[in-house]
Amino acid sequence: MLIREETPADIAIIRDINRQAFGGDAEGQLIDALRASGDVVLSLVAQVDGEVVGHLLFSRLQAETTGGKIKAAALAPMAVTPDFQGRGVGTALVERGLALCRERGYTVVVVLGHPDYYPRFGFSSAKGQALKSPYSELGAAYMALELVPGALSGVSGSIRYPEPFASLA
């Protein structure tokens, strides 16, 4: 499996992967809008035997805490074609994406996702509750991960998602 950054040649297949995984076009439209707004910080694809079978996007968040501004990103969406789900593609995408975000100076990543899946990477709903957002009322599905240990210790604050996320509300 190869995990790499997207290229322009991947855009149509990324839309298709998200359509297959989510059963509609909303996520593909969100990705296109985030690209257009300049809010994408990292977009990765997973290839197996030369075929792109997964995609993961990180976008910029505006984050203000009682300790000051933090460099934060949202992990959303992540999609894997149905034939490759449960085969480690999502895990490889998330692990590589988090490593690259850390290398690029991000201190916190926030996700709205399955509470049984994301904690394996260190995401925590308790840490997520330190950062109020339109999604923080969703309980265990709203999680945060400190890429820099202690980044959320003893602080509270809020995050603002890029405008394209409003279309999903």
Side-chain angles (χ1 to χ4, degrees):
M1 182 180 334
L2 171 68
I3 305 296
R4 62 172 175 79
E5 293 199 46
E6 76 169 35
T7 67
D10 298 319
I11 291 174
I13 189 67
I14 288 170
R15 281 189 207 108
D16 187 55
I17 290 168
N18 278 274
R19 185 178 303 112
Q20 289 180 53
F22 293 105
D25 292 323
E27 287 77 9
Q29 291 168 354
L30 171 65
I31 294 164
D32 290 343
L34 289 166
R35 274 192 207 102
S37 68
D39 288 307
V40 172
V41 297
L42 181 61
S43 183
L44 297 175
V45 295
Q47 278 184 266
V48 175
D49 296 328
E51 177 186 0
V52 176
V53 298
H55 175 253
L56 174 63
L57 187 91
F58 290 87
S59 57
R60 183 174 297 108
L61 292 173
Q62 291 185 11
E64 295 272 347
T65 72
T66 52
K69 289 184 179 184
I70 58 173
K71 192 171 180 182
L75 185 166
M78 180 176 71
V80 177
T81 59
D83 289 347
F84 283 87
Q85 291 176 5
R87 296 172 59 183
V89 174
T91 296
L93 282 165
V94 173
E95 288 174 346
R96 182 69 180 134
L98 293 174
L100 287 170
C101 284
R102 188 176 289 111
E103 288 174 17
R104 294 175 184 188
Y106 285 84
T107 58
V108 172
V109 174
V110 176
V111 67
L112 181 65
H114 297 287
D116 294 332
Y117 182 77
Y118 288 97
R120 74 178 76 179
F121 305 105
F123 284 93
S124 158
S125 58
K127 294 219 184 284
Q129 293 308 308
L131 300 170
K132 298 300 175 207
S133 84
Y135 306 108
S136 55
E137 300 302 318
L138 297 176
Y142 179 73
M143 296 170 268
L145 168 69
E146 296 172 320
L147 295 177
V148 173
L152 295 176
S153 294
V155 299
S156 61
S158 64
I159 57 173
R160 194 172 64 175
Y161 281 77
E163 184 60 33
F165 277 94
S167 67
L168 290 181

